[in-house]
Amino acid sequence: MTQQLPTTPFGRRSMSLGLLASQVTAQAVTPDLVVHKWKVFQHIREAREAVGATDRALAILSALLSFHQETTMCADGDLVVFPSNAQLSDRANGMSPATLRRHIAILVHCGLVIRRDSPN
């Protein structure tokens, strides 16, 4: 008998309960809530040890936030950004592709970012 574990579409990593819980939490946000993205980032920076984020992961999060056009974010708005790894690396001070992928995985593990599958 073989056992199959559900996997993510990114690197065939196993899906954990923590990843599923962070996705459920992200979908349960109050729809009329509006926040300033850089204030939220400041709070995340202050709580980075409790959240489990590294300084390089925060550099990537900052770069991802810079791709979001508006200064405010709301749950019913479009919170999706889709920079290429090369563009993201440029805004993260020239971080190598392997380091970039590793720290994006940390952001996903912390529940700060949700990856979406893309046909591209």
Side-chain angles (χ1 to χ4, degrees), residues 6 11-12 18 22 24 39 41 46 53 59 67 79 88 94-95 109-110:
R12 305 292 294 171
S22 66
V24 169
K39 287 183 181 178
F41 180 71
E46 291 170 359
F67 282 101
L79 297 178
L88 194 53
M95 193 177 291
H109 181 73
C110 293

Side-chain angles (χ1 to χ4, degrees), residues 13-83:
R13 293 184 184 98
S14 61
M15 223 24 197
S16 68
L17 288 177
L19 288 176
L20 291 174
S22 66
Q23 290 182 6
V24 169
T25 302
Q27 293 172 353
V29 174
T30 307
D32 58 346
L33 181 67
V34 177
V35 295
H36 189 275
K37 67 180 178 181
W38 297 116
K39 287 183 181 178
V40 171
F41 180 71
Q42 177 63 33
H43 293 301
I44 292 170
R45 275 187 16 200
E46 291 170 359
R48 79 176 177 90
E49 290 179 8
V51 172
T54 62
D55 56 342
R56 286 191 165 185
L58 292 180
I60 293 169
L61 182 59
S62 175
L64 284 169
L65 286 172
S66 72
F67 282 101
H68 187 261
Q69 299 295 321
E70 303 295 324
T71 57
T72 59
M73 299 185 303
C74 56
D76 61 353
D78 189 16
L79 297 178
V80 177
V81 295
F82 41 89

